[in-house]
Structure formats: structure tokens, C-alpha cells
Amino acid sequence: WETCWFKVELSIPPAWAGREVHFVWESDGEGMVWRDGQPVQGLTKEGEKTSYILTRSLKESEPHSLTLYVELACNGLFGAGKGSMIAPPDPDRRVTLSKAELVVFNRDVYELLVDLEILLDMAQLLGEENQRSFQALYTANQMVNVCDVMDPSTFPAARDLAAAIFSQRNGESQHTLHAVGHCHIDSAWLWPYEETVRKCARSWVTVVHLMEHNPELTFACSQLGLIPELWQAQQFEWVRSCYPGLYARIQDFVAKGQFIPVGGTWVEMDGNLPSGESMVRQFLQGQRFFQEQFGHICSEFWLPDTFGYSAQLPQLMRGCGIRRFLTQKLSWNLVNSFPHHTFFWEGIDGSQVLTHFPPGDSYGMQGRVEEVLKTVKNNKDKGRVNHSAFLFGFGDGGGGPTQKMLDRIKRMSDTDGLPRVQISTPDQLFSVLEKESSQLCTWVGELFLELHNGTYTTQAQIKKGNRECERILHDVEVLSTLAVARDREFQYPASQLQRLWRFLLLNQFHDVLPGSCIQLVVEDALQYYTEIRRAGAQLQEEAVQALCRDLLQPEAQSPQSTLVLNTLPWERTEVISRPGPDGAETLALVTVPSMGYAPVQEPLVPPQPVAVRKQEDGSITMENGVISVCLDTMGHLTSLRLLDSGRSSVPDGWYANQFALFDDVPLYWDAWDVMDYHLQTRKPVTTLLKPLEITQAGGLRGSVRFSLQVGKSSTLTQEIILDATCPYLRFLTQVEWKEAHKFLKVEFPVQVRSTNATYEIQFGHVQRPTHWNTSWDWARFEVWAHKWLDLSEHGFGVALLNNCKYGASAHRNILSLSL
């Protein structure tokens, strides 16, 4: 990720007067040309940008000698891996500069070659049954006959032959492709956050340069972006602070309607794992930024590359002023082909948004004949609508549109035999789709991606950090709001909270929270979580001091008094741990009101203390008057009874709390995928290191502990806790994980029969089948959930809760949590 700077002194020969002169630069590292202190051109061999135009027609008045600087990054468009695109960075990788030249560019030859390319593609791809393929072929043949490569005066006649074909127009019923420049830049993936800063500048300055010479070009920019060293903003904001000249040019083209901010969120976040409140904040921060910087909010939600889409998103979109949605990721489905490209998507509350998947199944088209034909052929809603999106430009690692892409599109704008291709905008596309929408179908519920199921579990520390920090920010806001109501002098920490929220929102980018990024990004993300925890604890302490100042005065406290806060919206009675008079931890049963606090001096006496008994066979039973449990020496849960019902939750002869290890060898996307065949490799974890033993003997709390060996090198220690009056059993699990290409789960078979299990999502829940009747069912062998999944029948059910996991499944009667 190092940077090299080259000073390039150029002297253009006077004999080149009237010629178009380029500075050619080829290297396997990304570069940027600087001129007069400003960035002017990105250079990326993989993105087909290897030259900077010095002059389109050298005039005597123009400077013939000048100095450029080239900033060269020691990484390519897709990072610095070796051998495979998704390989980790290679510390020994060397970047080579292979060409640095001053050249004359023959524009006439270039235009001829583009003409021939389009004609030959038409001849090859339109098919023998289409007369246009023969017309294109014979025209290309005539051009070759007319053109003498040694005599430039013959070039115009050859070009006229091509122009005659391109100018033959389509009929009115022809399908129209709305071509929009695009440059998907992952805020972090195979490169760290900081490299994205330069990727934005390289890509966007190239787009602006293209717009200056192609006033028809439009460009949809879908992310706010990347956090800078001051931790205050994303891609647009970063460019604004570090490349002010470029940002001013971007603002000019935004005002002209060419450079079009889309998206509506702070980053292109993961579509499944962020909490409901986090998703609201993504829209809040994004829409506010668009309003402040560009004078309007986004009407389209643009999320082309995340790994599935929660059924709650339509309601959140509508609540944030968005009625339109664009993505294409479901074209990656491994099992079932999604049945629509243009449709209404309905969320769990009935909210609907007009949704469009570009039928070419890509956001990185290059303007080729093959791509426009595929876009029409693929379209699964032909007849219902007659317009679709065509997003062109190199992406993922940046790059964006090129002049050649634009020149291809110009030739195909309205050419008989090809779909009509017009430079357009997202608003123009969706406006015409809205007019044509009367016959569109409706898809209800989540847009589940049948791929990348492993991202619900990969990088456990990132998953835990996200959930913990969401809770911390919730608690700080609750307590600070109560403090404002209680103490007029208390200043609500709005700016501090915005800073911490932006940390969290950045880490919810769709290659960071899923864990599908390089180690360097993981390390950055964990540092951001550490900062949220540190600053959040300080803000929480300040809010509590303001909220409960009277109760915290020394004279108001007794040695046995404890102040307990509850930031959840219901009254809670729970066992807590608090320091005793001698400093040792003691337990107390307390009741605290909803969204409130209570000083506790005399703890409550439970109606029935927890009883813990060890049996002759080494098993242990625990009971608290609400539930009773039995555990064997391996820590298996062999019985779980709800005493009022008298019904056991664990089937006879089955083990709950059963750890199982699976092989994890996907077809390609290692950090992303777990394949269905992994289920055939299940091995129960059976190696006991420390048998079950009692750690707390009852009263307010009973607990037991045991340890297992997992795989060849890993260990697992678990404490199982039952508190007085508590209707659930807690499992505190510590894993020292040293396995490679293995997948650890914990399973809970339950004595409940239902064809559907229920999973928590953002502000609601969804139901998914527990059977594999159809390919749509078994493609969901591994799904995501938030804090709980539940299997219930009439009058009885069992729920499995967690505090930091997302991968789960419920097949028949087995609830499984991926660890």
C-alpha cells in the first residue's frame, strides 16, 4: 500500500503541431496524474485507462514543455493479492512500470476500429436468421475494401459506410436501455479503508474529465464513503476535505445533472445484519448529507452488491422518502433464478417500493453489443415494461466509464437490430417504469441471496463488536435523553454521538460487517469498535451522573445501596452482580422500572431459590420454580421443562446444547460461502477436557461449567447459568478457535412440531420453512437472524437467543446457531 511519486518532464516536438498528443503510462499499480497541483486523470491498466490527453490538437500557443507528477500506488484495481483475485495481500509483491511514453494518437484510426468492432459484433451475435447481421458483415467487408491503411484520406469514406448502418433507426416498439455511467467502489475489501480514499479520487477525476468533453455523459455515484483520519465522513466528504478542487468540479456537474448522487445511505451497508436502528441511521446520515451538500435527498435506494435484503427495508425506505430500489445481486443465486427484473417489493408491513434489477445482471457493463443483447434477452418482465437499466463502467475496485464505452454506446443509440441505448439518469429510468407499472408483479418478503451464507458468521469479533456497539449507543441515547429531561444544564452529546454512529455505520459496509475483507480491514474495524466502547462508556457515565446526581451523593448512599438502571422499555426483575461491603461480588434480585432506575438496598427474596443437585451418574439438575433442567457430564442438555406446563422441551434420547463441527470447503468464495454439502460432514464434538462441575450451588443463582476439545487444536469452555425467577437458561461460551476450514455450530433439538420457524429481523420478524420441500426451501439451509429464533406450535414453543451471532438454521425440529 506504499506510494511512489514520479516527476515527469515532457517536451513535445514542434513537428507534432496540430496532432493529438497523449502521455502513455502503463504499470500494474494504480496511478494518478497531477498537473499544476491538481489531480487530472486516474491511471489503471485493469480499468483501460493508460493515457492522459495532453492536447487534442497541438497549437503553437500551447506549452510544448511541461511537468507532470504521477502518484503510483503499490496495488492494482483489486488490491495486492497473488494468484487469485481474492487472495490475501502479498507482502513481497512488486509493482512494475512497463511504459512511460509521449505519443501521437490517431483519432481517425481509433474511430474506425470502434466502428468495425460494433459491426463485427452485430454480424456475429445477431444470428443468421437476422438480416441485420449480414448487412453489418457486408458493410464491414466494404470498409476493409475501401480503406487503405497507408492512405488516411480513405478513412472518411470507410467511416461513412459504418455511419449509414448506425443511422438506420429502430421502430417505436424497440426496448430502450437507460445507460448510466457507474463506478462501484467498495469502501474496504481487498484494500484498506485508506486506499479507498485514493480510489475515489482516481475514479471521480476521470469521470469529471470525461464529462468536460462529453456533455451528455451521466454518472450515478452511490456512496458517501470513506472515513478519513479525523473520523468524520465518507467518500464524498473525504474528497471534499482532501481534494477541494476536484470536489468543486463535482459540485458543478451535480448542479448540471450529470454527476448524480444516488443511494440515500451513509455507506452501501450489509442488507441483513445491521439492526433496525442502524439502518435508520444509515438513511438519516446519508439523506442529511445529500440535502446539505446537494440541496435534495435521494429518491432511489442504490445497493447493488450486498448479500441479500431484509424484508424490513421497504418500510424503512418509504419512511426515509425513498420509493425506488436498484440492485442486481440476486442474479448471483446459486440455486434458483429470481423470477423478475422489474417488480414491486413489499415489506413486512405492506410498504411497497418499485424495484429494478438491471437485466444484464451487472453494474459494470462496457458498452458492448453482446451486453445490450443480453440485457433484452434476459429481461424477465418483457411485455410488462419496455425499459431497463444499463450501468457501464469498471467497478468494485473503482475505475468507472471510459471514452471507448461512450463511443460504443453512441453508435448503438438508435440502430436497427439492436435495442435503443440512450444516455439517461436513474430518475428518468424509474419515472418511465412508474408509468409502465400497471402490470408489474409483487414480491412479498425478504430478497434472500442463495450464496454467501457464510458471511453471517465469518469474523466473529466483528459480529460481536457490531452488536455490542449498537447496544452501547442505544443505552447512551436513552440515558442522555432522560438526563436532558431531568437536568436542564445537561448538554445532549449530539456531536459525540454522531461521530460514534459514523464509526459504526462505516463498519457496516457490505464487505466489513460480513467479514469478507482482508486482515488489515478487520484490524481497522476492531479499532473503531474499541473507540465506540471507550467513548460510549464515558458518555454513559456522564449521563448517569446528571440523571441520578442526588442519589449518587455520598450522603445519599448507604453501604448496601446500589443504583440499577434499565434501558429497555419494560419492567425487569433479574439477578444482578454487585460489589459487597468487602469488595467481593455478591448477587441480588432486583426490580427496575421500564426506561428507568431504582436504588436497591434490600434485595428481593425469590419465591423459590435455585436448587442445584448432582446425581450419582455425574449429571446435574437445576430448578428455580419456573423451569427445571438436567445436564449430563458432557454439558448436554438432556431435559428442559417448563414447570407450569409439565412439558419437556427436549425429545427423549436427544441431546440439546450439542456442539458439532463441519468441514468448510466452499467452491470458491472462502470467507463468503458455506455450501449445502457441508451438512454431510457433521461430527459431534465429543472430546471432554473437564467434566461438568458445579460452580455456584444455588440460591439466587446456580451454575455449572465444563470444557471440550474442538477439532485438533481448539478448546471450548461453557458456563451454564440458571437464575432465580428466570424463565430461560443462559450459556456463556468461550472458544479458543484455531481451526482452518471448519465450521462450529451448537444444536438444540426440541419437542415442537411446526412447518415454519420465526426469526427476528429489524423491527420485526420473518418466518421460514423448517422443511426442504422445494429448491427455494433447501437453498435456505443457512439463514440469518438477529437476537432470536423460535420454533412454536399452538400453546408451546422454544426460543434460542444470542448476544452476538447471526448465522442460524431450523431444520425440522433442530434449532442451530452458527458460532
Side-chain angles (χ1 to χ4, degrees):
W1 314 110
E2 296 295 328
T3 299
C4 302
W5 284 86
F6 292 81
K7 182 179 181 181
V8 184
E9 295 180 342
L10 302 174
S11 181
I12 304 174
W16 290 3
R19 311 294 291 276
E20 182 172 339
V21 183
H22 290 198
F23 167 57
V24 173
W25 176 278
E26 288 188 14
S27 71
D28 46 8
E30 292 189 89
M32 175 117 84
V33 180
W34 291 72
R35 184 173 181 175
D36 300 327
Q38 293 294 326
V40 291
Q41 174 73 52
L43 296 170
T44 307
K45 189 175 182 179
E46 298 147 296
E48 297 183 3
K49 298 179 183 69
T50 57
S51 68
Y52 168 58
I53 302 175
L54 296 169
T55 175
R56 294 180 183 272
S57 179
L58 182 65
K59 299 180 178 62
E60 196 172 320
S61 58
E62 289 183 276
H64 285 48
S65 297
L66 66 153
T67 299
L68 304 175
Y69 290 87
V70 177
E71 176 190 11
L72 182 64
C74 294
N75 53 268
L77 201 62
F78 290 94
K82 183 179 182 180
S84 165
M85 181 182 76
I86 59 172
D90 176 12
D92 297 322
R93 173 166 171 162
R94 297 291 183 268
V95 172
T96 302
L97 171 61
S98 55
K99 185 181 290 187
E101 297 177 350
L102 198 61
V103 303
V104 170
F105 184 79
N106 194 318
R107 180 68 58 179
D108 291 334
V109 171
Y110 163 82
E111 299 288 359
L112 261 177
L113 289 173
V114 177
D115 287 343
L116 282 167
E117 177 195 311
I118 299 295
L119 290 170
L120 292 174
D121 282 351
M122 289 174 65
Q124 184 177 10
L125 298 169
L126 287 177
E128 291 186 5
E129 69 280 2
N130 191 325
Q131 69 166 3
R132 287 292 279 174
S133 69
F134 289 96
Q135 292 173 353
L137 178 62
Y138 281 95
T139 299
N141 189 63
Q142 281 183 282
M143 290 173 66
V144 173
N145 293 337
V146 165
C147 180
D148 179 353
V149 295
M150 304 304 294
D151 182 4
S153 67
T154 64
F155 295 173
R159 291 215 61 210
D160 287 344
L161 291 169
I165 282 279
F166 298 143
S167 63
Q168 290 172 342
R169 302 304 178 204
N170 274 300
E172 291 184 9
S173 66
Q174 183 61 272
H175 191 89
T176 299
L177 306 188
H178 291 250
V180 182
H182 192 248
C183 176
H184 182 67
I185 304 177
D186 285 323
S187 289
W189 178 30
L190 303 173
W191 50 86
Y193 282 131
E194 292 179 3
E195 181 57 29
T196 310
V197 172
R198 298 194 293 182
K199 284 181 174 290
C200 291
R202 287 191 286 263
S203 301
W204 295 355
V205 74
T206 304
V207 169
V208 167
H209 185 68
L210 276 176
M211 287 178 174
E212 289 170 344
H213 296 93
N214 300 270
E216 76 281 2
L217 172 62
T218 60
F219 178 76
C221 187
S222 59
Q223 286 202 87
L224 303 179
L226 201 277
I227 221 156
E229 58 219 357
L230 300 179
W231 319 105
Q232 288 179 340
Q234 317 302 287
Q235 286 173 10
F236 271 122
E237 180 69 13
W238 198 92
V239 170
R240 184 170 74 102
S241 60
C242 294
Y243 298 87
L246 171 58
Y247 190 77
R249 292 166 71 193
I250 289 172
Q251 284 187 308
D252 288 343
F253 284 106
V254 170
K256 293 175 182 176
Q258 288 180 256
F259 199 108
I260 305 163
V262 294
T265 52
W266 189 242
V267 296
E268 287 186 6
M269 76 279 193
D270 181 83
N272 299 322
L273 308 187
S275 70
E277 188 59 37
S278 290
M279 284 191 168
V280 169
R281 301 303 175 105
Q282 289 281 359
F283 284 107
L284 174 67
Q285 294 286 343
Q287 293 286 54
R288 178 181 291 166
F289 182 91
F290 285 123
Q291 182 67 53
E292 291 175 353
Q293 292 297 314
F294 305 116
H296 60 84
I297 63 174
C298 291
S299 57
E300 301 90 14
F301 182 35
W302 200 275
L303 195 60
D305 193 35
T306 195
F307 312 142
Y309 305 88
S310 167
Q312 181 58 274
L313 276 168
Q315 182 179 6
L316 296 181
M317 282 186 245
R318 292 296 294 265
C320 298
I322 292 174
R323 294 172 175 266
R324 303 157 166 181
F325 175 48
L326 182 141
T327 185
Q328 62 82 47
K329 198 64 177 183
L330 263 65
S331 66
W332 285 46
N333 270 8
L334 200 59
V335 181
N336 299 285
S337 177
F338 193 79
H340 301 294
H341 281 103
T342 306
F343 58 99
F344 285 105
W345 180 25
E346 184 172 303
I348 59 175
D349 73 322
S351 296
Q352 291 190 347
V353 291
L354 178 59
T355 300
H356 182 67
F357 298 173
D361 296 338
S362 173
Y363 49 70
M365 295 297 195
Q366 296 184 28
R368 298 184 183 276
V369 171
E370 180 181 12
E371 295 167 343
V372 302
L373 293 175
K374 177 185 176 182
T375 297
V376 177
K377 182 179 179 180
N378 258 22
N379 194 333
K380 293 173 182 171
D381 296 282
K382 290 191 286 279
R384 296 190 180 99
V385 291
N386 205 27
H387 295 257
S388 55
F390 186 85
L391 308 180
F392 66 96
F394 289 100
D396 291 335
T402 67
Q403 184 65 54
K404 181 172 280 189
M405 294 177 193
L406 269 172
D407 292 337
R408 290 171 181 146
I409 288 170
K410 289 173 185 175
R411 287 160 170 80
M412 295 186 290
S413 62
D414 193 2
T415 295
D416 186 26
L418 298 177
R420 189 175 287 109
V421 187
Q422 66 181 43
I423 299 292
S424 185
T425 68
D427 179 64
Q428 289 170 357
L429 167 66
F430 277 102
S431 293
V432 71
L433 290 178
E434 285 167 349
K435 293 176 182 176
E436 296 180 343
S437 64
S438 61
Q439 298 184 67
L440 291 179
C441 300
T442 299
W443 182 271
V444 178
E446 66 182 331
L447 296 174
F448 185 86
L449 178 65
E450 296 171 357
L451 193 69
H452 296 352
N453 317 56
T455 59
Y456 316 146
T457 305
T458 298
Q459 295 292 350
Q461 290 295 336
I462 284 184
K463 306 296 193 289
K464 183 177 182 181
N466 180 72
R467 184 78 61 79
E468 283 187 359
C469 291
E470 287 177 337
R471 177 187 57 76
I472 288 168
L473 293 178
H474 167 272
D475 288 355
V476 170
E477 291 186 335
V478 167
L479 295 169
S480 297
T481 302
L482 294 174
V484 168
R486 178 97 160 75
D487 180 357
R488 291 185 177 182
E489 294 183 2
F490 179 78
Q491 293 292 314
Y492 188 84
S495 60
Q496 298 98 310
L497 278 167
Q498 174 161 285
R499 171 177 169 269
L500 298 182
W501 266 111
R502 287 182 170 180
F503 274 149
L504 183 61
L505 300 182
L506 176 67
N507 272 358
Q508 289 172 350
F509 179 74
H510 66 252
D511 277 311
V512 180
L513 180 52
S516 50
C517 53
I518 60 173
Q519 180 182 342
L520 198 58
V521 178
V522 173
E523 292 169 357
D524 285 344
L526 295 180
Q527 287 183 0
Y528 304 160
Y529 291 135
T530 298
E531 173 60 13
I532 295 172
R533 291 183 182 107
R534 183 202 66 78
Q538 181 179 339
L539 293 175
Q540 185 169 301
E541 177 66 21
E542 292 169 0
V544 170
Q545 290 291 337
L547 177 62
C548 308
R549 183 175 291 115
D550 296 342
L551 295 171
L552 294 172
Q553 297 302 321
E555 61 273 13
Q557 298 183 38
S558 71
Q560 298 299 315
S561 177
T562 302
L563 182 67
V564 185
L565 297 102
N566 174 19
T567 56
L568 296 179
W570 58 84
E571 181 182 87
R572 295 160 66 191
T573 299
E574 294 180 16
V575 174
I576 65 164
S577 178
R578 62 175 182 167
D582 58 354
E585 292 290 310
T586 62
L587 300 176
L589 182 65
V590 301
T591 296
V592 186
S594 159
M595 292 281 191
Y597 55 89
V600 177
Q601 294 182 351
E602 294 298 326
L604 302 173
V605 177
Q608 182 173 330
V610 179
V612 183
R613 300 182 184 90
K614 189 164 188 174
Q615 309 299 316
E616 290 183 3
D617 61 358
S619 64
I620 294 173
T621 62
M622 295 191 288
E623 184 176 322
N624 65 358
V626 182
I627 61 175
S628 68
V629 303
C630 183
L631 299 142
D632 70 10
T633 55
M634 291 281 296
H636 295 136
L637 185 62
T638 58
S639 175
L640 172 60
R641 287 183 175 273
L642 183 63
L643 295 176
D644 281 352
S645 73
R647 180 168 171 175
S648 176
S649 303
V650 181
D652 292 341
W654 293 62
Y655 295 135
N657 195 38
Q658 170 68 64
F659 293 94
L661 199 63
F662 300 80
D663 292 344
D664 178 27
V665 187
L667 296 175
Y668 180 68
W669 300 95
D670 201 349
W672 291 257
D673 283 352
V674 56
M675 313 308 295
D676 59 343
Y677 54 75
H678 87 282
L679 297 169
Q680 302 171 23
T681 66
R682 177 183 181 274
K683 295 180 181 66
V685 176
T686 58
T687 305
L688 189 62
L689 296 178
K690 293 182 182 178
L692 193 70
E693 61 180 4
I694 297 172
T695 50
Q696 287 182 290
L700 288 178
R701 174 172 291 168
S703 66
V704 297
R705 179 183 290 130
F706 66 95
S707 296
L708 301 172
Q709 179 174 322
V710 179
K712 291 184 177 180
S713 309
S714 303
T715 58
L716 181 152
T717 301
Q718 189 177 72
E719 186 175 16
I720 304 174
I721 299 169
L722 181 63
D723 284 343
T725 75
C726 187
Y728 54 83
L729 193 61
R730 283 194 294 150
F731 302 83
L732 303 184
T733 310
Q734 181 80 27
V735 181
E736 187 72 23
W737 185 250
K738 297 180 180 179
E739 305 305 300
H741 293 107
K742 298 293 180 182
F743 194 178
L744 180 65
K745 303 184 184 185
V746 62
E747 300 168 346
F748 289 83
V750 296
Q751 198 157 296
V752 176
R753 180 167 176 79
S754 176
T755 55
N756 288 289
T758 306
Y759 302 79
E760 190 204 19
I761 66 169
Q762 299 85 354
F763 300 132
H765 61 264
V766 295
Q767 290 193 323
R768 302 182 179 113
T770 56
H771 55 76
W772 293 346
N773 281 359
T774 71
S775 59
W776 293 88
D777 300 331
W778 69 256
R780 302 184 187 204
F781 59 87
E782 178 81 5
V783 298
W784 62 274
H786 282 195
K787 299 186 185 74
W788 55 263
L789 62 151
D790 165 271
L791 191 64
S792 290
E793 58 189 51
H794 179 69
F796 188 80
V798 179
L800 180 58
L801 292 80
N802 75 86
N803 68 351
C804 62
K805 297 296 170 185
Y806 296 91
S809 66
H811 183 224
R812 302 188 71 83
N813 70 323
I814 299 176
L815 301 178
S816 178
L817 192 65
S818 299
L819 305 181

